[in-house]
Amino acid sequence: MHSEGAFPTVRLRRLRYLPAMRRLVRQVHLRAEQMILPVFVRPGRGVKKEIPSMPGHWQLSPDLAAQEVREAARLGLGGVLLFGIPEQKDPEGREALRPDGVIPQAIRAAKDAAPEVLVITDLCFCEYTSHGHCGPICQRAGRTDVDNDTTLQLLGQQAVVHAQAGADLVAPSGMMDGMVGAIRKALDAAGFEHVPILSYAAKYASAFYGPFREAAESAPQFGDRRSYQMDPASRTEAALREIQLDLAEGADMVMVKPALAYLDVIREVRCRWPEIPLAAYNVSGEYSMVKAASERGWLDEKQIALEILTAIGRAGADIIITYWAKQAAGWLAEAKP
């Protein structure tokens, strides 16, 4: 005797038997329009500088970055995320505030190239400071630290500069307390109430950022960023608290970074706030380790990349920032029956 609803009456393999059946009942669908392509921009013209630890990505001058934006439009991607590498660095990162700086140039070039593409800009100072930290440094209680409240004023200025150049969405990434509120206040005061904020609300002090720091030339010259980025060993409730505070300050969208090792956090955020647009950053280390393994013939890059991106979407991310954006869009187009 077989109990009701058990084998052999129930055979779950029936829905996996045919490729067409698997496509029909598939519940997680990757789409090009949910993917954001990070682009690294440096001054000059006709500049394409290799990033050795991130095959397939380069530091590009604004004119060549505009070509990437055109390609993003052709592939139907959800947008681009711009990171700037300035010509000069100083302890306060003042190059980040120049209306004619590298990111404002890149924004204008992107909008000239493909006005319909969403242009997101990273708001932070680690690429612009000579010490590589995410804001000006101060001495407090006998230790060196980022001056949180001074950085808030500078972030507000940086956001306005980007909005004036035409940025569609700004994304503060430094994990400063109060950053969303300060940026919202500055944007509103400058007449940019319509510009939304995507907060790196749960950003962990992760070892997966190594290749990015080469790409953005932003490695700390001393110490680390553990006093402001989240501890990887903290419980998911700590991330929920960070996100709740950013939403209260006016964040329109929130992000979990990195993605692959923090799928549990993505899932908890999605369950807590099903109505809030949720992004996840599939970071450089997650990309580069698969690239390295595939170059050695140990892994199939296409299959692994799509599996990773699918897992991020299954965990609950609406938006995926990924260095595979262009490739994944091509792979998904090829797979359409």
Side-chain angles (χ1 to χ4, degrees):
M1 290 285 296
H2 296 287
S3 62
E4 184 180 357
F7 178 85
T9 305
V10 175
R11 293 178 181 264
L12 298 182
R13 289 184 57 192
R14 292 185 188 120
L15 299 183
R16 300 195 286 263
Y17 188 68
L18 296 173
M21 184 64 72
R22 292 195 295 271
R23 289 194 298 269
L24 179 67
V25 300
R26 189 167 290 158
Q27 295 153 321
V28 180
H29 297 274
L30 290 175
R31 308 180 317 279
E33 59 266 28
Q34 75 184 117
M35 297 184 200
I36 303 295
L37 174 68
V39 179
F40 299 97
V41 191
R42 64 176 305 117
R45 187 166 183 81
V47 177
K48 186 176 184 179
K49 184 179 178 183
E50 182 184 11
I51 303 171
S53 61
M54 296 181 65
H57 289 269
W58 300 266
Q59 293 178 351
L60 303 171
S61 52
D63 57 314
L64 297 188
Q67 294 181 14
E68 285 287 271
V69 175
R70 288 193 196 95
E71 181 70 358
R74 185 187 70 80
L75 292 167
L77 296 180
V80 295
L81 174 57
L82 303 181
F83 296 93
I85 300 102
E87 204 157 16
Q88 296 181 342
K89 302 190 180 198
D90 63 64
E92 292 190 335
R94 290 285 172 178
E95 282 285 311
L97 308 180
R98 284 179 48 192
D100 61 346
V102 64
I103 287 298
Q105 289 180 42
I107 295 168
R108 288 188 279 267
K111 285 301 176 184
D112 287 343
E116 72 278 14
V117 172
L118 190 76
V119 175
I120 309 166
T121 59
D122 178 77
L123 296 184
C124 196
F125 289 87
C126 59
E127 302 103 319
Y128 299 90
T129 54
S130 51
H131 46 71
H133 282 279
C134 297
I137 295 299
C138 66
Q139 297 295 322
R140 183 177 289 114
R143 62 191 297 271
T144 302
D145 196 10
V146 174
D147 189 329
N148 190 98
D149 294 5
T150 297
T151 302
L152 298 185
Q153 299 174 28
L154 297 176
L155 283 168
Q157 294 176 47
Q158 187 184 32
V160 171
V161 167
H162 290 188
Q164 288 171 335
D168 299 305
L169 174 62
V170 295
S173 62
M175 288 294 288
M176 295 294 112
D177 290 336
M179 66 182 184
V180 172
I183 291 165
R184 184 73 274 156
K185 182 178 179 181
L187 288 171
D188 291 356
F192 294 105
E193 300 94 338
H194 63 285
V195 174
I197 298 172
L198 165 57
S199 176
Y200 288 64
K203 179 179 179 181
Y204 289 82
S206 172
F208 282 102
Y209 303 152
F212 173 91
R213 290 176 179 171
E214 177 188 14
E217 299 181 8
S218 63
Q221 299 304 298
F222 59 86
D224 54 40
R225 297 181 180 140
R226 293 180 182 274
S227 71
Y228 43 103
Q229 294 178 1
M230 292 186 66
D231 185 351
S234 60
R235 296 178 66 90
T236 55
E237 287 80 3
L240 298 181
R241 187 180 185 196
E242 293 277 359
I243 289 168
Q244 185 174 35
L245 288 169
D246 281 7
L247 291 172
E249 290 178 23
D252 302 282
M253 309 156 72
V254 295
M255 182 195 303
V256 174
K257 178 183 180 183
L260 189 56
Y262 298 87
L263 296 176
D264 59 324
V265 178
I266 296 170
R267 188 62 189 164
E268 287 288 336
V269 175
R270 169 50 66 226
C271 290
R272 177 74 174 272
W273 291 284
E275 76 285 6
I276 297 297
L278 174 59
Y281 201 141
N282 176 214
V283 298
S284 59
E286 298 167 357
Y287 171 85
S288 294
M289 65 184 183
V290 174
K291 279 285 187 182
S294 67
E295 286 175 356
R296 288 162 176 77
W298 297 343
L299 294 175
D300 183 304
E301 180 186 2
K302 174 182 175 181
Q303 291 188 22
I304 291 289
L306 290 176
E307 187 172 340
I308 287 172
L309 296 174
T310 299
I312 296 169
R314 186 177 64 243
D318 305 300
I319 302 151
I320 304 174
I321 301 164
T322 177
Y323 300 97
W324 277 300
K326 291 196 301 181
Q327 287 172 283
W331 292 331
L332 293 173
E334 292 170 2
K336 287 182 179 177

